[in-house]
Amino acid sequence: MNRATGSDATAGQSTPGAAPAGRTPFDDLYDQPDPRAYFRVLGALDYQTPRHAQGVFRRMAANRTARPAGRAGVLDICCSYGINAALLNHDLTWDDLYAHYTSPRAGALTTAELIEWDRAYYAARRRRDAVPATGLDVAAPALDYALAVGLLDHAFTENLETAPPSPALRHAMRDTRLITVTGGASFLSPRTFLPLLAAADAPVWIAAFVLRTGSYQPIAESLRSHGLVTEKAAGATFAQRRFTSPQEQQYAVDAVARAGEDPDGRESEGYFHTALYVSRPPEDTAAFPLATLTQAPGPAPRRPRR
């Protein structure tokens, strides 16, 4: 299986596939035994998609996962170190995590010591409405960490682009009601989503933050076979991270224009941007209008350049 060499490793997650020419690779960030390098490197580039996703995913989880028999789960695709699960299930912000993992104390610890510290750190901040979280990623070290500190209940190192889901993953999908993606959609296809939906025992919502440099349309069209209608959050894009070079910026500006979008005021200003796509059964789109589950991003606090 191929490891991600940028894309939404550009987006801050590890994914199967190869990055297009012009995009910076970040593969090595997911081969680390803990997320300190992830936060140090991507934080310096003002990576911020999990910040935008946190409120959206919490509102969707609250609407989608509550049920009398217990709380059904969330599957995060390309989950890396369990960052989305950390923000979903704990009273923490993205900036809290950045400060935690780039702190002098964190820098002085061994990985084993950091894992012990993180177990207590997350346990003390666990929300009462926390939901079971499953992670899917090709990066085994990142998943091992997320499991060790208690961010994920289940984790699967599988590439569904090249092989069907294992029986264990299909079993975990039975009670999943929400699939989330903040990185990796650029390298994913219907081959990843359709077998997961087929394994669920009830309709699933999918919420994906997708780089504007490509098209989500093939995935959206495939989801219709499972009765899901895909909506795009109107009037908003979400800054992802700063470009690493003028060449990468030019790549993004050109790719966004080819995709039929306008880079002016977004990619032209120095940041990758994503759009939010939400796929649900038609009756749910009427019962829970997208505008009530999402909100336009306000100006995000940005750390100074280093």
Side-chain angles (χ1 to χ4, degrees), residues 7 26 29 35 40 49 58-59 63 71 80 121 135 167 170 183 195 210 227 239 246 248 250 262 264 300:
S7 164
F26 290 96
L29 295 186
R40 184 176 65 253
T49 301
R58 280 187 181 175
R59 286 187 290 274
N63 278 277
R71 299 192 65 77
S80 73
Y121 179 78
R170 290 198 298 269
V210 182
E248 188 180 56
Q250 190 60 57
D262 184 2
D264 188 46

Side-chain angles (χ1 to χ4, degrees), residues 185-209:
S186 300
F187 287 152
L188 300 177
S189 77
R191 288 189 296 273
T192 287
F193 292 91
L194 296 184
L196 295 173
L197 295 176
D201 63 10
V204 175
W205 290 10
I206 300 174
F209 285 80

Side-chain angles (χ1 to χ4, degrees), residues 1-2 8 14-17 75-79 134-138 156-166 169-170 173 176 178-200 204-208 216 218-220 222-223 225-226 228:
M1 132 180 20
N2 294 326
D8 304 1
S14 58
T15 61
L75 171 70
D76 192 33
I77 297 178
C78 303
C79 67
T134 297
L136 177 64
D137 203 295
V138 298
F156 298 92
T157 311
E158 301 184 27
N159 183 349
L160 303 190
E161 291 297 301
T162 60
S166 65
L169 176 53
R170 290 198 298 269
M173 274 302 302
T176 295
L178 173 65
I179 292 175
T180 57
V181 188
T182 53
S186 300
F187 287 152
L188 300 177
S189 77
R191 288 189 296 273
T192 287
F193 292 91
L194 296 184
L196 295 173
L197 295 176
V204 175
W205 290 10
I206 300 174
Y216 192 64
I219 292 174
S222 74
L223 300 180
S225 66
H226 283 271
L228 303 185

Side-chain angles (χ1 to χ4, degrees), residues 264-279:
D264 188 46
R266 294 176 172 84
E267 290 79 9
S268 67
E269 296 301 310
Y271 277 73
F272 279 107
H273 277 249
T274 65
L276 171 62
Y277 293 85
V278 178
S279 304

Side-chain angles (χ1 to χ4, degrees), residues 12-170:
Q13 305 290 336
S14 58
T15 61
R23 220 185 276 178
T24 301
F26 290 96
D27 266 11
D28 57 336
L29 295 186
Y30 308 97
D31 289 326
Q32 307 302 314
D34 62 64
R36 285 176 290 188
Y38 170 101
F39 280 95
R40 184 176 65 253
V41 173
L42 292 177
L45 294 171
D46 197 17
Y47 174 65
Q48 55 188 274
T49 301
R51 175 193 290 131
H52 301 312
Q54 181 179 33
V56 174
F57 291 170
R58 280 187 181 175
R59 286 187 290 274
M60 291 187 175
N63 278 277
R64 190 64 194 128
T65 65
R67 62 178 188 175
R71 299 192 65 77
V74 174
L75 171 70
D76 192 33
I77 297 178
C78 303
C79 67
S80 73
Y81 294 95
I83 306 304
N84 287 329
L87 295 175
L88 176 66
N89 284 332
H90 303 83
D91 287 320
L92 290 165
T93 67
W94 170 253
D95 287 341
D96 290 333
L97 294 180
Y98 177 82
H100 176 73
Y101 286 109
T102 61
S103 68
R105 178 179 176 183
L109 299 176
T110 66
T111 293
E113 291 168 339
L114 180 66
I115 287 173
E116 289 302 314
W117 185 32
D118 280 355
R119 284 175 180 161
Y121 179 78
Y122 289 116
R125 294 161 176 80
R126 186 81 171 176
R127 293 169 59 91
R128 290 187 176 183
D129 61 352
V131 300
T134 297
L136 177 64
D137 203 295
V138 298
L143 289 180
D144 288 343
Y145 162 84
L147 285 171
V149 301
L151 293 178
L152 297 177
D153 298 282
H154 306 284
F156 298 92
T157 311
E158 301 184 27
N159 183 349
L160 303 190
E161 291 297 301
T162 60
S166 65
L169 176 53
R170 290 198 298 269

